[in-house]
Amino acid sequence: RMGNLQDPPILLAGVVPPPVPGQSLATKALFDSDLPGMRKRIIEIRSSQNLTQVGKFSLTKALSLFPLIWRTWKECLRYRPTTLYYTAGSGAWIPFVRDFAFLGLCRPFFRRTVIHYHSGDLAEFLESSKLRNLAGRLIYGRGAWTISLGQGCPIPNYPHNRIFEVPNGIAAPNHQGEPIPGKPFRILFLGNLYEDKGIFDLLEACKILASQTSRPISVSLVGTYPDEETRIKVTEAIKSLPSGIHCEPPAPAFGDEKWKQLRSHDVLVFPTYYRRENLPLVVIEAMAASLPVVSTRWRGIPSLIEDGQTGFLTPISDPTAIAGALLQLSDSPGLATQLGRNARRKYEGSFTLEHFLLNMKAILQEASEIKISS
């Protein structure tokens, strides 16, 4: 269906960078995209300026909620959108209160609401309290259309909600090439440096690997520290590495620099059990860069990584298993190359930005038709 100026727009509201966790990047990509045939009105939510503020209360955050709601009301009065698209927050009190206030005061203006769940811990947060579960039914339930990232990605599931599965997708350079085996075995971690992203499991696995191979090992931790305590712990862990392992001080990388990091390593290791993780964009980025991935059987990651085909899956918090997977890749550069090629093909077949936008457009377009009452 082609849109025209007589069609009511869809109002899209969600958290965008800064900072840059996967949820905000995926939301920003949707907001910035051209969806032919659709009219969009955008409400960008910027609740935190950096990683240390995520999930924490501040007076600035509380006060910013009121103009956000007021702006949404004005959009409704002026443009008469019939459908609201909203990205739900994570399983913590501050984002939940924001969701409760925004949806509670804005949903009545719309005939249909589409809620996109990126964070993996919201369902557990709601289910662990009868009061929160009741509040969740009021704002996330009542016939809302629900978008999940896919199998293994938990979502709040309320009666009468219609559920869709849309995996994340990213834009990547057309051809990243394949890592050129160098003398050191080059291991990359890419992501915010939370402890439960598995960074200490990776460093311990590197110690085990160093005892099993004579090949020099280079480890790059590319990301931002969430707090000073983590920075101190990581610094101490790096100092304890044996002499056969080289590890530069961690630093973030974005844009072209991020893709350069992906091209210049032999494997991405992402042993996460992070509570908010669902379908991590960094794994998709590695696949797009023809890089094999060693990751965990956590949430939606098994839908990205096929064990032994595009990378290796290990149990959570198992440095020995991580080291075993890395040893296979270090000893067999040809295997690493083949897994990387397989990963690139899987990315091209299912996880490009084009796939993501086509799926999202179909859902939002159907939602805006409002042919049935819900």
Side-chain angles (χ1 to χ4, degrees):
R1 170 178 88 89
M2 294 299 294
N4 59 66
L5 294 178
Q6 303 304 315
D7 293 330
I10 293 177
L11 193 144
L12 292 84
V15 175
V16 298
V20 287
Q23 170 179 341
S24 63
L25 291 174
T27 302
K28 184 66 173 172
L30 176 64
F31 286 5
D32 290 348
S33 65
D34 179 24
L35 300 178
M38 292 183 59
R39 296 176 62 211
K40 299 185 298 182
R41 299 299 302 175
I42 305 296
I43 301 287
E44 294 187 341
I45 302 173
R46 291 182 173 87
S47 58
S48 300
Q49 293 304 307
N50 56 62
L51 212 57
T52 62
Q53 297 176 355
V54 173
K56 297 178 181 177
F57 174 80
S58 73
L59 185 60
T60 302
K61 286 184 183 181
L63 294 177
S64 68
L65 184 58
F66 298 102
L68 182 70
I69 293 171
W70 176 243
R71 183 185 166 194
T72 303
W73 287 351
K74 289 197 298 183
E75 291 279 334
C76 291
L77 292 172
R78 182 175 181 182
Y79 297 101
R80 305 289 181 178
T82 57
T83 300
L84 169 66
Y85 165 89
Y86 183 75
T87 57
S90 61
W93 273 110
I94 301 304
F96 177 65
V97 169
R98 181 192 67 223
D99 286 3
F100 189 83
F102 184 88
L103 291 172
L105 293 173
C106 295
R107 273 193 70 175
F109 286 82
F110 299 88
R111 295 179 63 189
R112 176 164 289 142
T113 300
V114 181
I115 302 178
H116 202 157
Y117 295 96
H118 287 272
S119 186
D121 62 345
L122 179 58
E124 182 180 357
F125 177 79
L126 297 174
E127 292 165 2
S128 62
S129 163
K130 290 183 179 180
L131 180 61
R132 290 198 295 265
N133 192 39
L134 177 61
R137 285 176 177 268
L138 292 175
I139 60 171
Y140 304 124
R142 296 189 296 118
W145 285 20
T146 295
I147 300 179
S148 160
L149 300 187
Q151 294 184 1
C153 300
I155 56 170
N157 190 1
Y158 295 116
H160 310 299
N161 279 21
R162 188 173 173 187
I163 299 174
F164 301 84
E165 290 187 0
V166 180
N168 288 328
I170 63 164
N174 287 331
H175 181 64
Q176 287 294 323
E178 295 168 354
I180 301 172
K183 186 175 181 181
F185 183 52
R186 299 162 299 181
I187 299 170
L188 173 66
F189 173 94
L190 181 60
N192 294 321
L193 300 173
Y194 290 103
E195 183 171 348
D196 48 5
K197 293 269 188 177
I199 49 177
F200 296 108
D201 294 332
L202 166 58
L203 294 176
E204 187 62 31
C206 290
K207 292 181 182 180
I208 298 171
L209 177 64
S211 69
Q212 298 173 337
T213 180
S214 59
R215 187 175 178 184
I217 299 168
S218 173
V219 183
S220 300
L221 302 178
V222 179
T224 302
Y225 290 114
D227 50 52
E228 180 63 13
E229 180 183 358
T230 303
R231 187 194 68 79
I232 294 172
K233 291 176 67 174
V234 172
T235 301
E236 292 300 316
I238 291 174
K239 288 180 180 178
S240 71
L241 294 173
S243 59
I245 302 175
H246 176 75
C247 185
E248 290 286 339
F254 307 101
D256 291 341
E257 179 60 30
K258 176 183 64 179
W259 291 109
K260 180 180 177 182
Q261 291 284 353
L262 288 163
R263 286 195 299 268
S264 62
H265 287 80
D266 299 304
V267 59
L268 175 79
V269 182
F270 194 65
T272 183
Y273 51 98
Y274 181 51
R275 62 195 181 282
R276 294 175 183 167
E277 205 87 72
N278 248 343
L279 198 77
L281 289 183
V282 64
V283 173
I284 301 176
E285 288 168 344
M287 294 166 63
S290 302
L291 204 62
V293 179
V294 176
S295 192
T296 45
R297 294 184 178 90
W298 180 248
R299 301 276 169 75
I301 293 174
S303 68
L304 298 174
I305 301 302
E306 298 175 68
D307 193 35
Q309 298 298 315
T310 59
F312 292 104
L313 294 172
T314 68
I316 292 167
S317 298
D318 193 338
T320 301
I322 297 170
L326 292 175
L327 185 62
Q328 290 188 62
L329 295 172
S330 176
D331 286 350
S332 304
L335 173 64
T337 298
Q338 185 59 54
L339 296 186
R341 289 174 179 169
N342 294 344
R344 174 73 189 193
R345 282 196 292 268
K346 186 167 184 178
Y347 158 76
E348 292 173 344
S350 302
F351 300 105
T352 65
L353 182 61
E354 289 76 16
H355 281 95
F356 172 72
L357 294 178
L358 283 173
N359 288 331
M360 290 300 302
K361 179 184 175 182
I363 294 169
L364 295 176
Q365 206 164 43
E366 183 181 354
S368 68
E369 297 281 352
I370 313 291
K371 291 183 178 179
I372 58 173
S373 59
S374 53

